Amino acid sequence: MIVLMISLMQYALTYELDVNTFSNYLDVQNRHLHLEWLLNMDKKYINATSTYKFQVIGRSINKITLDIYKLNIYSTYLYNGLSLQHTIDNPYADSDQGQRLNIQLDKTYYKGQYIELSIKYSIDSRSRSISFMTKEQTSTKTMPYLFSQCEDANCRALAPLQDTPSVKQTYTATVIFKDTEAADVFMSADESKEEFQVLYRPQDQAGFTWKYKYFIQKVPIPSYLIAIVAGNIKKVPTSTGGRTFLVSEPDKIQAYTDELREMEKFMQAIEQYIGPYTWGTYTLVIQPPSFPIGGMENPLLTFANPTIMTGTGSGLDVTIHEMAHSWFGNTITCVNWANMWINEGFTVFLERKASLFHYNIPDDIKLNAIIGNTSMYQDMLGFGLDSNFSSLHPDTTGLNPDDSFSKIPYEKGYQFLTYLESIVGEVDFQQMLRAYLVQYKYQSIDQQEFQNFLLRYLYEQGVDDYSTKRYKILENWNKWVYSPGLPPVILDFSTVKLTEAYDYTQSYITADGKQPTKWQDYINFLHSQKQVFLEDLFKQAQNNLLKLNVIEQIDKDLKLTEEKDFELKFRWFRAILTAGDKTRLTQISDFLGSVGRGKMVYPVYRALNLLDHDFAVQTFKTHEAFYHPIAKNNIKNILGLKEISIQ
C-alpha cells in the first residue's frame, strides 16, 4: 500500500499544470462542496451560499484563492462563524477568464489539515454559466426556464470554485424555488432522501409557495460537471431496463420518448465494448433551442440540444456520444484543457465502436470519420495550420480556454487512438482501455500518463512483438500531440458510399441547372452520405463552381431550404451563402433565430458575414436575446463586435 501511494504521488507530481485557473489548487484542494441556492427566475437572480471542505496538500497555507466570474461576493467565513477578509483581483484583466477571489485565513494551516468555510454570494444575468429564459422563450410559455453550461471554465460563474478539471469533489445541494416559476428542478446528482440543514427559509407569500429539493453527488467530479435545470419540466422513463430517463417540457415528452426508445440499447452497446455503466441511472435533458452545444455530459443529467431530435433518429449519435462520456471524461478526466482530447478523442472512439455494435453499418462509421475530419480541417484553417490551437495540446495561457474550442480534440484525438489501435491490435487495445478505466477511475490525468500506462500495460501483458509496437507508438507520439495541423499519419476511411456522394454532387454541377438523371438517389442515401454531399457542395462553392442556377435546381428537387433536419440544413445554408445566393436571406435569418447550437450557427454566421456583413449584424441583433452567453460571445467575435458590451 505504501509503495502504491508513493507511486501515485510521483505520477501526480508529474502532471501538467492548469494555466486557466487562478486558484492555488497545488496547495489546497476542495473535497466536498455544498450549495444552497434560492432561485428567483423571473428576476434572473440567485441568492447563494457555498460551503467547502478544503484539505491542505502543500506544506502550509494561510490563504485560499478561487476562480470567480462576475459573482457578487458578500462575505466569507469559517464554519464557526469567524469572518474572513477577502479581496478580488484580475490576474488577466483582458482575457475574459474572470477574477481571482483571495480569502485570507485566520491562521496557518499545514499539510493534511481541513478547512471548512462558507461564502455568501449571488448570481445575476451577467453570468455566462447560467441562462435565464423568460416563459415566452419556452415551448409551453407558462414558466421561466433556467439551465447551466459550465464547460470549459465557466463554472466560476456559478460559484467560487477551483475551476479546473484537475480537482474533483463530491457535492450536495439545496435548491429553493417558487412553485409558480418551476414545476421541477434537477441537478447532476441524485435526489437526496435526506433533507439538509437550510441556512435561510423564505416565507411563503400570496400567490406562490416555496419548494425545496435536495441533491447528492457521491462520486468526485470536476467543477465543470456541476449542472442545474429548472422550469416547466417533467421526468419520464425512456425505455425498459429502468436506467434511462428523459427530462423535457411536457408538450414534447411523447415525441421525444418515442424517438429515444432505444436508449437502453445504446447503453448496452457501449457496455459491450468497454464494460459496465457505474453511475446508476442515466437522464437526458432535451433543452430549449438556445442551448449552445449539441450535448453536455453532466453525470446523471446529460443536456442535449433539440436539434438532435429529427423524428427519424438520425441525430442520436449525439446521445451515444454523451453516454460514452460516462466512461471517458466523467470517470477519467483530462487534467487541464490542453489535454481535452483525453476526454473527447476517447469518447468519439467509444461512440463509434458502440455505434458499430448497435447499427452494424461500417460505411457509416467511415463516413462520420470523414465528416469529422472535414470539420476538423476547417477549424484548423480558421486557427491557422501553424497555430498550436490546431494541435492536440493548445496553449491557452492568459486566454479563455473556450477560445481554443474546436473539433480538433474530438477528431484528431479519435484518429490518434485509431492509429494506436492499428499498432496494438483491436482486441489488445480494447482490453487496454478497460484496464485503463480501472487504473484511473475518478482521477484526472494528462497525455503523458496515458502513454506511460499504455506502454506499461502492453509490457506487463506480454503482447507479441512488444519492442516493435513500442517503437511505432513512440515514433510519432509527440507529432500527434504537439505538432499543429494535419496528423502525421493520414488514415484511410474511404468507402464506395463516399464515391457515390461525390458523384452525386458532380451530377448536379455538370447538369448546370437542369435535373440530373439520378437525382432521386439522395432519398436512399445514408444520413452521413447526405452530409458528405452537402460538405462537397460547400467545397464547390469555395472554388466558385456552385452556380446559382444549380442551387435553384437542387432546392427544387430536394427542398433543402425546408429541411427539418438541422444537421443538413445548416450545411445547405453555408454552401449557398458561400456561393453568393442572397435569395434566401429571410429563411436563413429565421433559421439563425431558431437554433443556438454553435456547431450549426457559427458556420452560417461566418458565411453570411462574408456575403453581407450588415445583414449578419442585423440578424444577430434581432435574435441576440435568444442566444446563450457562450454563443453570443462567439457570434460577436465572428462579426467583429467584440468591443460591444452586451449584458
Side-chain angles (χ1 to χ4, degrees), residues 425-473:
E426 287 189 29
V427 174
D428 285 338
F429 199 75
Q430 179 185 13
Q431 294 306 312
M432 181 277 298
L433 289 176
R434 290 186 170 210
Y436 169 67
L437 280 162
V438 172
Q439 177 71 34
Y440 299 104
K441 188 176 184 179
Y442 307 141
Q443 297 180 46
S444 300
I445 71 164
D446 60 18
Q447 60 86 24
Q448 185 59 55
E449 185 57 26
F450 170 60
Q451 183 198 94
N452 294 342
F453 176 80
L454 171 60
L455 296 177
R456 186 168 64 247
Y457 173 85
L458 296 177
Y459 178 77
E460 291 174 352
Q461 294 300 310
V463 297
D464 293 340
D465 205 9
Y466 169 76
S467 295
T468 300
K469 290 177 178 178
R470 180 181 184 277
Y471 174 80
K472 289 182 177 179
I473 289 169

Side-chain angles (χ1 to χ4, degrees), residues 8-25:
L8 289 174
M9 287 173 62
Q10 288 173 337
Y11 288 142
L13 289 172
T14 61
Y15 287 169
E16 296 175 21
L17 301 180
D18 187 345
V19 298
N20 296 118
T21 178
F22 302 139
S23 68
N24 56 340
Y25 76 100

Side-chain angles (χ1 to χ4, degrees), residues 63-170:
K63 71 174 181 178
I64 292 174
T65 60
L66 300 175
D67 298 299
I68 61 173
Y69 182 88
K70 295 185 179 179
L71 296 175
N72 307 300
I73 306 296
Y74 302 123
S75 63
T76 57
Y77 55 96
L78 291 175
Y79 71 97
N80 59 7
L82 179 64
S83 180
L84 299 174
Q85 296 296 314
H86 71 268
T87 60
I88 297 173
D89 59 12
N90 296 271
Y92 292 109
D94 59 348
S95 73
D96 199 33
Q97 289 192 86
Q99 301 80 42
R100 176 171 57 193
L101 175 63
N102 306 284
I103 303 171
Q104 189 64 45
L105 299 174
D106 60 320
K107 62 180 182 180
T108 299
Y109 290 82
Y110 296 94
K111 187 171 184 176
Q113 289 186 301
Y114 288 91
I115 306 159
E116 296 185 38
L117 61 82
S118 297
I119 302 173
K120 287 187 177 181
Y121 68 100
S122 64
I123 306 167
D124 57 37
S125 59
R126 298 174 302 159
S127 174
R128 68 181 180 199
S129 64
I130 291 283
S131 185
F132 294 96
M133 300 176 64
T134 65
K135 62 183 180 181
E136 289 78 19
Q137 291 176 290
T138 68
S139 178
T140 54
K141 303 187 186 307
T142 57
M143 292 180 174
Y145 195 97
L146 175 155
F147 68 87
S148 62
Q149 173 55 32
C150 287
E151 193 181 30
D152 296 346
N154 296 312
C155 211
R156 61 194 68 186
L158 204 64
L161 290 165
Q162 295 176 313
D163 197 4
T164 168
S166 62
V167 175
K168 294 189 173 186
Q169 67 242 302
T170 56

